[in-house]
Amino acid sequence: MNISNPSHYFYLKNGSDLDEYERQNEFVSAVLSEFSTPFFELPNVTNKFNLTFKYNGLLVGSGYLHPKIDEQDFQLGFYFDFTSGLPTIPGTSIKGVLKKYFPFKAESDKILRMKSCYIFDSFNKINQIRNDNVSPLFSLIKNELLDPKLLDEIFFKDRQIFFDAFVVGIHNGKLFEEDHITSHKAGKFKAPNPVKFLKVAPGTSFRFQFKLTNYSQNGINISASQKENLFKKILRDFGIGAKRNVGYGQFTAV
């Protein structure tokens, strides 16, 4: 049986047989060739870069409902593109992860200061700005705090568009792998309950794409490429997807 759409197999059939996901390297390559480039690459993209997931791979869409058919079935949800059935990372999720590490006005001064330092230092380092006096972010600092409202306007609201990220490469012919988490009842280590789930295999590369604009107002000049550089650094520093605290959703250094 050929799988024309992994999403259909996962949610509407007994999608517990991992061999059906990675049956033929030719099939995976054919799917990528047929869908990835013409379907996902959009004509109005201005900035894009590729990142590759390391060791634990990517877990995305785990909060989605997935009706368990039998004990062998995967027990967590998974996010697929509706048309191609390939795993994608929604643009809304990408934007949400990036915004999480920018200062937010409702946070405490301590958190604001930590985030301000991270954004300021990261922006200067990744864009090779060595003198604070020439940093476009320098004029935003008040008492070591960056202006959250202005940062939001510059990086997220000024006609910026965050598109879905899509698969552009696989490693050793594997796009999917299975994994397990083992839960126990509170305070007990007996009778573990292994939970089987589907994940994107380590070594899979995704392309992140954006429509970014240059910002030039009130003496602040930040280019679209500088925004791209900062976004890429944030993703490489913190990853994306579920269970990042145990190694999922982390990227290789190059």
Side-chain angles (χ1 to χ4, degrees), residues 129-141:
I129 299 174
R130 302 184 183 279
N131 185 348
D132 290 349
N133 290 318
V134 299
S135 170
L137 297 184
F138 183 78
S139 58
L140 304 185
I141 294 181

Side-chain angles (χ1 to χ4, degrees), residues 155-225:
F155 288 95
F156 298 102
K157 289 187 177 179
D158 186 32
R159 303 184 306 281
Q160 317 305 307
I161 301 177
F162 298 76
F163 298 105
D164 293 355
F166 60 96
V167 178
V168 291
I170 57 177
H171 181 64
N172 291 333
K174 288 187 176 183
L175 178 57
F176 299 102
E177 285 186 355
E178 70 175 56
D179 210 335
H180 299 79
I181 55 176
T182 305
S183 59
H184 302 264
K185 292 185 178 180
K188 296 182 179 180
F189 293 96
K190 295 181 179 181
N193 177 35
V195 175
K196 176 182 173 183
F197 60 89
L198 188 70
K199 69 177 183 180
V200 173
T204 302
S205 298
F206 274 71
R207 176 162 299 164
F208 293 79
Q209 48 184 359
F210 312 84
K211 182 179 180 182
L212 304 176
T213 60
N214 298 326
Y215 184 90
S216 182
Q217 291 187 34
N218 301 319
I220 303 172
N221 299 294
I222 296 178
S223 69
S225 61

Side-chain angles (χ1 to χ4, degrees), residues 54-67:
K54 59 183 180 181
Y55 44 96
N56 278 354
L58 169 69
L59 178 58
V60 61
S62 59
Y64 284 29
L65 291 176
H66 180 232

Side-chain angles (χ1 to χ4, degrees), residues 242-253:
K243 300 184 73 63
R244 281 176 279 162
N245 60 323
V246 289
Y248 295 88
Q250 304 297 323
F251 296 105
T252 59

Side-chain angles (χ1 to χ4, degrees), residues 49-101:
F49 52 80
N50 296 349
L51 292 174
T52 302
F53 289 99
K54 59 183 180 181
Y55 44 96
N56 278 354
L58 169 69
L59 178 58
V60 61
S62 59
Y64 284 29
L65 291 176
H66 180 232
K68 182 180 174 183
I69 297 175
D70 56 44
E71 290 300 321
Q72 301 302 315
D73 198 4
F74 295 107
Q75 298 175 43
L76 297 181
F78 195 88
Y79 183 81
F80 301 89
D81 171 68
F82 180 80
T83 303
S84 69
L86 292 173
T88 58
I89 306 173
T92 52
S93 298
I94 296 169
K95 182 177 181 180
V97 166
L98 293 171
K99 289 191 72 171
K100 178 180 179 180
Y101 299 101

